[in-house]
Amino acid sequence: MRILIVGAGATGGYFGARLAQAGRDVTFLVRERRFQQLKENGLVLRTPQGVEKLQPQLAQAGSLAGVYDLIILTVKSFGLAQALEDIAPAIGEQTLIMPVLNGMRHIDTLRERFGDKVIGGLVKINATLGEQGEIVQMTPLHQIYYGALDGNNDARLQRVDESLRAASVDTIFSDNIIGELWEKWLLLSTLGAVCCLARGDTQQVLTSAGGEALLRDLFSEVLATITADGYQPRPAVTAKIFALLNNPATPMTSSMYRDLSQGYEIEAEQVIGDLVRRAAQHGVSVPLLNAVNVNLQVYLRGR
């Protein structure tokens, strides 16, 4: 398969590099600054096992040649609209588009434009970009989930699975990718909300008076909202997610909080604002999520 990775940040760069190392035909679609950085320095992975470097195939908007079999979208949600315009020339009759963005709104946006070409995907990785543009993997976690949105993993999806399984990452070919997407949103929105509101990691929150109650109440608001909006709860899974968050021995932060701490653009609307909107549609009371949403809007205006 010809694979186009849209974006070469911590997520796209890492998983795209692993696919390229496995011999897959991978091209990264990047902006001018990242194009020059990767052209000059190569794509560098700094992992718990050491440092690796490769020279990736690169493209910029307007210079894509031919169509691709699989397009993996790894941009931030606020960059999605432009990415859709950029990838349009690369889409053919058999192209599949796999977004690995946060939240759920992007699924509707993509399906409105590209219909059944859109499949479900998500990744789990603790990684960030270093000062020189290198990808820093902070823990060994590197999972990629994918599957048909309707659960019908037909021959098209089998080809995707065959390609992705070649990479040295953990692959999960799911027949319930929608459920997986809801559950990732439950995890990341609760984590982002508690870290951004408290301005600290989960260890700092949980060792503060009232911290566990704050975490539990935020988690309950998110779970009630997504359940009202269509998620079919898997109690064992949701209990595991809460236990992961509610562990004072392991400090956790969200990428949104890390971006906020550095004064960057954040996915406030996609991760938190969309939850508040959906809660209002279903009459679910979410006072804490509303407080987080107001807090993040004030931050964004201040930028």
Side-chain angles (χ1 to χ4, degrees):
M1 301 183 79
R2 292 191 77 208
I3 301 173
L4 182 67
I5 309 286
V6 184
T11 297
Y14 182 85
F15 287 96
R18 292 307 188 203
L19 284 165
Q21 289 173 331
R24 295 312 190 214
D25 182 357
V26 175
T27 299
F28 294 90
L29 178 63
V30 292
R31 301 287 179 213
E32 175 65 24
R33 182 174 177 274
R34 188 62 167 154
F35 181 90
Q36 294 300 331
Q37 190 175 53
L38 293 173
K39 189 175 180 180
E40 293 171 10
N41 304 327
L43 182 55
V44 179
L45 303 183
R46 192 176 301 278
T47 76
Q49 289 73 43
V51 178
E52 304 167 55
K53 182 177 179 180
L54 67 151
Q55 291 296 330
Q57 295 186 87
L58 302 173
Q60 291 180 272
S63 67
L64 291 172
V67 300
Y68 287 79
D69 300 298
L70 176 64
I71 299 176
I72 303 178
L73 287 167
T74 71
V75 297
K76 294 286 189 180
S77 296
F78 43 75
L80 179 61
Q82 184 59 53
L84 298 191
E85 301 306 318
D86 294 344
I87 66 174
I91 297 174
E93 289 186 9
Q94 301 302 316
T95 301
L96 292 177
I97 303 167
M98 184 172 82
V100 291
L101 284 71
N102 291 328
M104 294 288 279
R105 181 183 293 182
H106 65 280
I107 297 291
D108 294 335
T109 300
L110 284 161
R111 292 185 77 179
E112 285 173 7
R113 181 158 181 177
F114 299 116
D116 66 0
K117 293 183 182 298
V118 183
I119 65 174
L122 65 92
V123 298
K124 296 181 181 179
I125 185 171
N126 296 317
T128 189
L129 283 185
E131 293 182 359
Q132 304 303 315
E134 74 276 20
I135 295 163
V136 182
Q137 184 192 21
M138 295 173 283
T139 70
L141 178 70
H142 55 186
Q143 298 176 339
I144 182 165
Y145 293 67
Y146 46 92
L149 291 169
D150 63 1
N152 179 26
N153 288 327
D154 58 18
R156 302 181 309 159
L157 275 296
Q158 300 293 333
R159 289 187 66 213
V160 172
D161 179 48
E162 182 182 354
S163 288
L164 298 185
R165 275 191 290 111
S168 56
V169 299
D170 298 325
T171 58
I172 297 91
F173 189 19
S174 175
D175 59 4
N176 183 27
I177 195 68
I178 285 291
E180 307 279 5
L181 285 164
W182 283 120
E183 287 154 4
K184 184 181 180 185
W185 198 11
L186 172 62
L187 170 64
L188 71 90
S189 60
T190 303
L191 179 61
V194 76
C195 290
C196 290
L197 188 61
R199 294 297 195 269
D201 61 40
T202 53
Q203 184 178 67
Q204 292 170 309
V205 170
L206 292 169
T207 54
S208 299
E212 182 176 356
L214 174 63
L215 175 68
R216 185 179 299 278
D217 290 348
L218 276 167
F219 183 87
S220 297
E221 286 186 9
V222 177
L223 181 56
T225 299
I226 64 174
T227 300
D229 204 48
Y231 170 56
Q232 298 180 5
R234 297 190 289 183
V237 175
T238 56
K240 186 176 179 180
I241 292 170
F242 183 75
L244 175 67
L245 294 167
N246 191 35
N247 180 3
T250 306
M252 297 175 63
T253 59
S254 70
S255 59
M256 185 165 70
Y257 172 66
R258 293 193 295 271
D259 287 344
L260 180 148
S261 298
Q262 297 177 76
Y264 297 159
E265 179 78 28
I266 57 173
E267 296 181 302
E269 173 56 28
Q270 294 79 11
V271 175
I272 303 298
D274 195 29
L275 279 172
V276 173
R277 182 181 62 82
R278 292 175 192 238
Q281 288 177 343
H282 298 289
V284 178
S285 177
V286 289
L288 289 174
L289 284 174
N290 185 64
V292 174
N293 194 40
V294 171
N295 182 299
L296 298 181
Q297 289 178 75
V298 171
Y299 163 79
L300 286 171
R301 290 199 190 98
R303 290 184 73 246

